[in-house]
Amino acid sequence: MSNYIIKKVTTKKAKVHVKTDEGYEFLPKSKHYANVDKVTVLNHELKEQILEKKIENDYRKIVMHIYTILNEDDEDAGNLLTAYTELDRLKKILIYKYNEKLNKKIMEMYLKKLSILEMEINKLMVNVLNFEEVNKGVRR
């Protein structure tokens, strides 16, 4: 399969064949691009912006999920486990998939934020498990 980059020329468009080993690939979601199979971004700054936006969206979803768990009166260990699993998934994606493609400062910032959230979830899980053990002991 051939990879092509379309460069804008003043009078017409030209196709140039390039190897795309270091680019970020994604599939366009819009219906306007029905003929496009995949898009590869080679520009380093643009690639970092796309990845940072993607990680920010995932991080925001996890924070909102944890926030709803914190505001619930009835804390469930299953919800906490789901949030912990999603948090761990995002951390592994950052470390293994985006390690070389993303700026080191951004990586460290998000890993620090995720470790803080992980500590908070661990505290909540300990509280929930202690509460469940106390309730089991009361019934006789």
Side-chain angles (χ1 to χ4, degrees), residues 1 3 12-13 23 30 33-34 37 46 59 62-63 70 72 74 80 86 90 111 117 122 125 128 132 136 140:
M1 185 160 101
N3 295 323
K12 60 181 180 179
K13 292 185 179 182
S30 178
Y33 305 109
D37 294 332
L46 184 59
Y59 178 75
I62 290 174
V63 169
L70 288 173
E72 289 178 355
D74 182 31
L80 289 173
E86 286 296 315
L90 182 58
L111 287 174
L117 284 175
N122 286 337
M125 288 181 86
V128 167
E132 288 177 358
K136 287 182 182 177
R140 288 190 176 200

Side-chain angles (χ1 to χ4, degrees), residues 35-51:
N35 296 334
V36 178
D37 294 332
K38 66 180 175 179
V39 176
T40 304
V41 178
L42 296 175
N43 187 349
H44 186 68
E45 291 86 20
L46 184 59
K47 182 172 50 173
E48 279 188 358
Q49 288 177 359
I50 291 171
L51 292 175

Side-chain angles (χ1 to χ4, degrees), residues 58-67 70 80 83-88 90-91 109-125:
D58 289 343
Y59 178 75
R60 189 175 299 127
K61 287 177 189 177
I62 290 174
V63 169
M64 291 304 295
H65 185 68
I66 293 170
Y67 183 74
L70 288 173
L80 289 173
Y84 186 80
T85 306
E86 286 296 315
L87 189 71
D88 190 49
L90 182 58
K91 188 185 267 188
M109 179 186 68
Y110 278 109
L111 287 174
K112 184 183 270 188
K113 286 180 178 183
L114 291 174
S115 65
I116 291 170
L117 284 175
E118 188 175 17
M119 287 189 301
E120 291 298 320
I121 289 177
N122 286 337
K123 288 178 190 177
L124 285 173
M125 288 181 86

Side-chain angles (χ1 to χ4, degrees), residues 7-20:
K7 290 188 173 185
K8 188 174 182 179
V9 183
T10 56
T11 57
K12 60 181 180 179
K13 292 185 179 182
K15 292 184 179 180
V16 179
H17 183 69
V18 219
K19 290 186 177 181
T20 57

